[in-house]
Each structure stands twice: as structure tokens, then as C-alpha cells.
Amino acid sequence: MARLTLTVPEDHDGARLDRFLASVLAESRSQLQRLIKEERVLVDGRAAKANQPVKPGQVVVLNVPQPIDAAPQPEPLDVPILYQDADLIVVDKPAGMVVHPAAGHEGGTLVNALLHHVDDLSGIGGEKRPGIVHRLDRGTSGLMVVAKHDAAHEELSRQFHDREVEKEYLALVWGVVQAGRRIDAPIGRDPVDRKKMSAKSRRSRDAVTRIVRAEHLNPAVTLAQIAIHTGRTHQIRVHLSAIGHPIVGDALYGGVHRRVPGDTRAVTRLQRPFLHAAHLVFLHPTDRRRMDFTSALPPDLQSVLDDLREKNAKP
């Protein structure tokens, strides 16, 4: 990603941000407006609007993604396929795999793998996101449904939008969290760290997370079964961190501790957040059958959990 820093000169006092940038850069206003909308343009460290007037001395920073190939290429990557028919495919995404190509991740994504295994993905998501109805973070493993034609894509997207899809995750969190707790806090881009989301952002969207069950392994950690009623970026990670119980292993949101109790030492083996999309329920887009899928914890998470349970088992 290219980073460009500009200082607003005196002769541009009061000019619209997009017009100022267009006057000094070899980019079209429409391209600059897209970058502004994607919050890749910061004025004095804050996200800006295209029609925002600039002032002399203000520092404008542009983070411009490197161009990538328009059409992802098929790659013979290993992705467990749990179900497939003429309308959709359900996969168990491995941790460490990005869902679709983006700047810095041109290949090795779930889309690249699906293009190798499946010939007929929906084109609604665009060339870079064919068939993609929802996403999981790179470090999150678990269940995803992908559309194989446009009608299926539209119906599945509607179900996600209307909150008809049931999504449950397993997460190991720091501290003691009680079952039944509901977290209702809007989420938006963090105004300081653009890689993060925040429950304190001024430009945010509603988000609801609920703790369904809780296994208190010891006073230091809880294994939580979590349901989300919305699907915001980093939602579970942000919400758990906001209430003081970040996900174990989540370096971005405060879940990596340098010192841990001896009976919790197993968590130091984690190479990613302990977060897994374990349960997914939706209606089949064509015949309305209830589609119910469950995914067991992958070995890296299960081994940590097994050790924690063994160390904290009551005699």
C-alpha cells in the first residue's frame, strides 16, 4: 500500500477536500471520492468527507492500495467442503486464510480455492468476491456459506441482512463472563488506528452480541458460546474487548498477555485469536429447507482447551 502525505497550502483555503486532492494529484475526482468513502484519506488523523473544506497547514494522508489483478486465479488450496448442491456450497474455512483477494493478499484466498473446486460461483460479489455472501476474519476459522448463482446470492444476502441467519461462535476470553450477557454497542472504524474497529466510533453501525453459554475454566479464562445478531467487521472481538474480556490470543484487541498463570500456560501456544465459527443455520435459497451445520474446534484450539480443562479439573 502506498502512503502519501500532503500539507494544505494557503492558496487552497476553504477548497473541498476532493477538489484539492484532484488539483495536486494525477487522479480523477471519482477515484479520490472512492478512497475518501473507504476511509483511506485522513485529515489531521481523522476520516474525512469529500465535501469537507480544507484549511492551510492541515495534513492529509492517503493510503492508496496497490493495484491487483481484476480476476482472481484458481489455486489448488485445501478447503474442507461440508456440503454442495446446485445452489450453494458450505465450507469450513481454515484459520490464516483470507476470504477474498485484496491489497496485500492477491492470492491464497478462499476465493482462489473455490475457483479451483467450483465452476459456477455467483458473480454478484464482483470479480474479486464471486459468491461471497459473508466473511470471516483471517484468523478466524469455521463455517461459511457461498452462493453458486445470482438468485442464491440475493436470497442468502437477504437472510443475512434481515438477521434470519443463526451464527454462533466459540471463543476463549479473559476473565469470568456470565451466560446471558448481551452487548449492544454500535461499531465503526477506529479514528486513530485504521486497522481496528471500535465501539466508541462516531461513525458506527448497530451491533448486538450475546453470550449463550459460558464454561468457567478458572478465574482467568472462560470458554464462551457466542451468538451474533449482526455481522459487523471484527464484531465479537470488538465487543468482548469493550467489556473488558478480550479474546485470548487477539493481539489487535488486547488479548495477548505477557504473563499468564501457570494453570493457563497453554494459551501461550496460540498463534491467532481463539475464535471459531462453530454453528451456522439458514434456509436453503431455493426450497427453503433448514440448513444446519456444525464445525468442531480445529486441532490448534482444541489442544489448548484440552490442556486448560486438564489443568483445572477438580479432584
Side-chain angles (χ1 to χ4, degrees):
M1 179 175 293
R3 182 181 177 90
L4 180 62
T5 301
L6 303 170
T7 301
V8 179
E10 293 285 345
D11 58 354
H12 283 81
D13 185 18
R16 281 174 53 118
L17 174 61
D18 57 349
R19 289 177 179 169
F20 161 64
L21 293 175
S23 70
V24 297
L25 300 174
E27 297 283 355
S28 67
R29 276 183 65 192
S30 61
Q31 170 70 0
L32 291 166
Q33 288 169 350
R34 182 180 66 81
L35 292 175
I36 294 170
K37 185 176 181 180
E38 293 175 353
E39 299 187 347
R40 297 184 184 276
V41 179
L42 305 180
V43 177
D44 287 343
R46 295 181 177 275
K49 294 183 178 180
N51 63 355
Q52 175 178 320
V54 296
K55 300 176 182 178
Q58 285 184 319
V59 176
V60 182
V61 176
L62 292 86
N63 295 296
V64 183
Q66 298 293 338
I68 63 175
D69 292 337
Q73 298 302 307
E75 296 180 30
L77 304 173
D78 183 24
V79 175
I81 296 175
L82 305 185
Y83 175 86
Q84 182 176 187
D85 62 21
D87 304 297
L88 57 89
I89 180 170
V90 176
V91 300
D92 201 342
K93 186 188 86 68
M97 176 175 279
V98 175
V99 169
H100 57 74
H105 299 286
E106 292 81 3
T109 72
L110 177 64
V111 164
N112 297 109
L114 290 173
L115 289 172
H116 175 76
H117 294 288
V118 183
D119 295 328
D120 49 350
L121 292 179
S122 164
I124 289 181
E127 289 183 317
K128 299 181 184 67
R129 306 181 186 184
I132 300 302
V133 179
H134 63 126
R135 292 180 289 178
L136 293 177
D137 297 338
R138 179 182 183 181
T140 304
S141 54
L143 298 167
M144 287 186 62
V145 58
V146 179
K148 293 181 68 175
H149 57 77
D150 291 355
H153 199 133
E154 290 178 347
E155 170 56 19
L156 289 169
S157 295
R158 184 201 65 77
Q159 291 184 42
F160 275 95
H161 178 270
D162 293 345
R163 304 179 184 179
E164 297 175 1
V165 179
E166 297 176 32
K167 297 168 285 184
E168 290 189 353
Y169 295 71
L170 288 175
L172 187 70
V173 304
W174 289 107
V176 177
V177 181
Q178 300 299 334
R181 182 158 187 179
R182 176 186 170 97
I183 310 162
D184 189 344
I187 292 175
R189 185 70 60 180
D190 189 296
V192 177
D193 186 344
R194 310 307 295 170
K195 294 181 180 179
K196 297 176 63 176
M197 306 300 288
S198 172
K200 298 180 179 179
S201 173
R202 290 185 298 177
R203 301 173 64 182
S204 56
R205 302 171 68 189
D206 66 303
V208 178
T209 301
R210 186 165 53 90
I211 310 299
V212 179
R213 293 186 181 86
E215 178 184 351
H216 302 129
L217 298 168
N218 62 36
V221 291
T222 299
L223 179 67
Q225 182 178 332
I226 300 169
I228 58 173
H229 300 277
T230 49
R232 308 304 178 207
T233 301
H234 298 181
Q235 176 172 324
I236 296 175
R237 300 165 64 190
V238 171
H239 273 177
L240 269 296
S241 179
I243 64 171
H245 300 286
I247 293 174
V248 177
D250 190 351
L252 190 60
Y253 293 101
V256 174
H257 294 180
R258 292 183 179 181
R259 296 180 180 179
V260 298
D263 55 1
T264 314
R265 189 73 62 188
V267 303
T268 61
R269 300 203 305 267
L270 289 170
Q271 299 297 311
R272 53 136 169 160
F274 194 119
L275 182 61
H276 179 68
H279 194 200
L280 180 66
V281 181
F282 57 91
L283 296 182
H284 194 281
T286 301
D287 59 25
R288 309 300 290 174
R289 281 179 293 142
R290 178 181 168 88
M291 309 294 288
D292 191 326
F293 297 92
T294 301
S295 169
L297 282 175
D300 65 323
L301 302 187
Q302 187 64 55
S303 67
V304 169
L305 181 59
D306 289 343
D307 282 2
L308 291 172
R309 283 173 171 161
E310 181 181 354
K311 290 286 193 305
N312 295 278
K314 296 180 180 178

